[in-house]
Amino acid sequence: MGNRGRLIAPGSLRDELAGEAGDGPATGESLAGDSLAGLAARYGLQPSSARPGLTSYLAMVWQRRHFIFAYATARNVSMYTEARLGQLWQVLTPLLNSAVYYLIFGVLFKANRGISNYTAFLVTGVFIFAFTERSIVTGSTVMRANMTLIRALHFPRACLPLAYVLVELQQLLLSMLVLFAIVLGTGEPLTWYWLLLVPTLVLQATFNVGAALIMARFGAGAQDISQLVPFLLRVWRYFCGVMYSIASLPAELPEWAKNVLSFNPAAVYISLTRYAIMASYRADAPGAQPYNAARCALFNAKKIPSLQAYCHPEISVSELWLAGIGWAVVTLVAGALYFWQAETRYGRG
């Protein structure tokens, strides 16, 4: 179709452009004489399949922040539209999991030994771990689940993992109302330590974004990854102190093993959350009281919660904060770089 609204033969468009250029002011160079590369360079055109620079890519993602928020909100609302209880499942699911874990670990396996307020301890661990768990699971399937959208529109693909993590954050904030009610209802006081929950959730959300970006690239390349991830996360849940206190593990367990369990990212954010909203957790933490060898030995033998405070702290709170910041920054940077390197591959095939 020519500029004058009529059909033209192949190759005629160049002649028409050349004629229009000849009729206008002289530019010293005709469009007809330029190569396609020259025309593209003159008008700032780039191949749509070219990967932008990292800085430009991040700027493009930031420009679409309103789309990310709107997409996340819409998906959050529509997620449970076919269920009769609707959004209540955002709260019922972790509560039901907590009830099952309480029965199995608290009643049958006596994992509540050494913990003053096991109900608040368990529910906090389940809710916080579920945030990371769901972010990683949805991140591993996000590219394949939105293939139609990816092929229909041109936008930075990182917007999708970000939106899905935002969905999980919105669900966590809603379920936090129930968590707060349980924690306060079991006798924990409301103190200024609760303000520490804000930076804790920010760090965890940052870590989840990085993990979701990494898993999004893995999941886009191999569908089997999305089948394997839930199994690996179930194993991870048992190694980060969701149902038991890592500090209360047998003294015979090597110190390096306890450090590995305590410093894994899920355990770090769970511990920081418990430290923020549970006064009993802070009071019974090792090192809360001056060291007393006799009382510490009695704790290791009897697992009386209040005596744990007289033991040497294996990991301090400041070390947990450093670990939380480190996991968040490293995972986000690694995830952004890893995902950006394959930006032009998403949606092919």
Side-chain angles (χ1 to χ4, degrees), residues 284-313:
D284 296 340
Q289 298 292 339
Y291 176 72
N292 187 299
R295 294 185 178 184
C296 184
L298 185 59
F299 166 77
N300 291 326
K302 302 294 185 180
K303 298 300 181 184
I304 301 174
S306 59
L307 297 180
Q308 183 179 219
Y310 295 94
C311 297
H312 282 305

Side-chain angles (χ1 to χ4, degrees), residues 68 71-73 75-77 79-80 89-90 93-94 127-142 160-176 201 204-205 208-209 212:
I68 295 173
Y71 182 83
T73 303
R75 180 167 180 80
N76 191 23
V77 172
M79 187 176 298
Y80 298 100
W89 282 111
Q90 298 179 5
T93 299
F127 274 64
I128 296 301
F129 183 81
F131 178 31
T132 295
E133 180 183 33
R134 291 196 303 260
S135 297
I136 293 177
V137 169
T138 56
S140 66
T141 61
V142 61
L160 292 175
L162 287 172
Y164 274 63
V165 173
L166 185 57
V167 169
E168 302 303 334
L169 179 60
Q170 291 174 347
Q171 294 186 4
L172 175 67
L173 295 179
L174 178 61
S175 62
M176 276 290 179
L201 293 181
Q204 186 185 10
N208 290 352
V209 168

Side-chain angles (χ1 to χ4, degrees), residues 39-298:
L39 288 173
R42 175 185 299 181
Y43 294 102
L45 302 178
Q46 296 180 352
S48 60
S49 60
R51 183 181 64 194
L54 180 59
T55 303
S56 300
Y57 186 73
L58 295 177
M60 293 167 59
V61 173
W62 173 251
Q63 291 172 357
R64 289 161 177 81
R65 61 190 181 276
H66 302 294
F67 161 75
I68 295 173
F69 183 80
Y71 182 83
T73 303
R75 180 167 180 80
N76 191 23
V77 172
S78 64
M79 187 176 298
Y80 298 100
T81 53
E82 297 182 359
R84 291 186 177 181
L85 297 180
Q87 300 293 321
L88 287 178
W89 282 111
Q90 298 179 5
V91 177
L92 289 177
T93 299
L95 283 179
L96 292 175
N97 288 334
S98 300
V100 173
Y101 293 148
Y102 186 90
L103 175 63
I104 296 176
F105 293 93
V107 177
L108 298 181
F109 293 148
K110 303 298 181 181
N112 57 347
R113 296 181 63 197
I115 304 172
S116 297
N117 187 353
Y118 186 69
T119 300
F121 181 93
L122 176 63
V123 173
T124 301
V126 171
F127 274 64
I128 296 301
F129 183 81
F131 178 31
T132 295
E133 180 183 33
R134 291 196 303 260
S135 297
I136 293 177
V137 169
T138 56
S140 66
T141 61
V142 61
M143 305 308 292
R144 293 184 177 274
N146 293 274
M147 192 59 65
T148 303
L149 179 63
I150 290 173
R151 290 175 174 171
L153 300 175
H154 179 70
F155 62 95
R157 310 314 189 200
C159 293
L160 292 175
L162 287 172
Y164 274 63
V165 173
L166 185 57
V167 169
E168 302 303 334
L169 179 60
Q170 291 174 347
Q171 294 186 4
L172 175 67
L173 295 179
L174 178 61
S175 62
M176 276 290 179
L177 299 177
V178 178
L179 174 60
F180 294 162
I182 294 175
V183 171
L184 294 174
T186 54
E188 300 292 341
L190 182 63
T191 66
W192 70 268
Y193 280 95
W194 284 56
L195 296 176
L196 297 176
L197 187 61
V198 175
T200 299
L201 293 181
V202 170
L203 291 176
Q204 186 185 10
T206 304
F207 169 82
N208 290 352
V209 168
L213 289 172
I214 293 174
M215 296 310 303
R217 178 171 174 180
F218 274 123
Q223 190 172 2
D224 295 337
I225 295 296
S226 61
Q227 305 299 325
L228 182 62
V229 166
F231 169 76
L232 296 177
L233 288 172
R234 282 195 296 270
V235 175
W236 190 17
R237 184 188 296 116
Y238 298 117
F239 285 92
C240 54
V242 174
M243 293 80 66
Y244 60 90
S245 172
I246 297 175
S248 298
L249 292 175
E252 294 79 11
L253 190 68
E255 183 178 352
W256 65 266
K258 289 188 177 181
N259 290 336
V260 170
L261 295 177
S262 299
F263 280 122
N264 85 74
V268 169
Y269 299 123
I270 290 173
S271 298
L272 290 175
T273 302
R274 287 169 175 160
Y275 182 84
I277 65 177
M278 294 180 60
S280 61
Y281 185 82
R282 296 190 300 270
D284 296 340
Q289 298 292 339
Y291 176 72
N292 187 299
R295 294 185 178 184
C296 184
L298 185 59

Side-chain angles (χ1 to χ4, degrees), residues 51 217 336-346:
R51 183 181 64 194
R217 178 171 174 180
L337 291 174
Y338 187 66
F339 189 90
W340 163 72
Q341 288 177 350
E343 166 69 18
T344 57
R345 302 177 190 175
Y346 304 128

